[in-house]
Amino acid sequence: MPDALWSVWWLWLAGALVLGVVEMLLPGFIFLGFAIGAAVTGLMLLAVTPSLPVLLLIFSALSLVAWLILRRTFALPHGQVKRFKDDING
């Protein structure tokens, strides 16, 4: 029975929503890659239902690709350092 829960598409989308909310509370593009991976995995489950090891491999690969794309898209140019000019404490 527990293996059946992994193949429910809406649970993956609900997990993606939870990870998206966590990303908004703790920004840093860490959880967003996992949220994108979970969302795409949930949408993929509408078409096919692979075995649990294959499903987890697909989720991890999609999350890694999403994280790499986010890192490349939103990263500072090479050699630049983020500087803060205003301080909320002073």
Side-chain angles (χ1 to χ4, degrees):
M1 182 65 179
D3 288 343
L5 289 177
W6 289 101
S7 60
V8 178
W9 65 271
W10 63 267
L11 285 176
W12 283 93
L13 293 179
L17 181 64
V18 169
L19 287 167
V21 169
V22 170
E23 178 63 40
M24 292 181 75
L25 296 173
L26 303 168
F29 297 110
I30 296 171
F31 296 103
L32 190 58
F34 290 117
I36 292 170
V40 174
T41 301
L43 293 174
M44 182 206 62
L45 282 173
L46 290 170
V48 295
T49 306
S51 65
L52 179 60
V54 172
L55 185 64
L56 294 177
L57 180 67
I58 290 169
F59 166 67
S60 62
L62 288 171
S63 297
L64 178 64
V65 168
W67 183 78
L68 289 172
I69 290 172
L70 288 170
R71 183 176 175 186
R72 178 172 283 237
T73 303
F74 295 110
L76 291 173
H78 186 68
Q80 276 192 335
V81 177
K82 185 182 272 189
R83 294 191 178 139
F84 296 97
K85 295 180 181 179
D86 298 322
D87 185 10
I88 62 170
N89 295 322

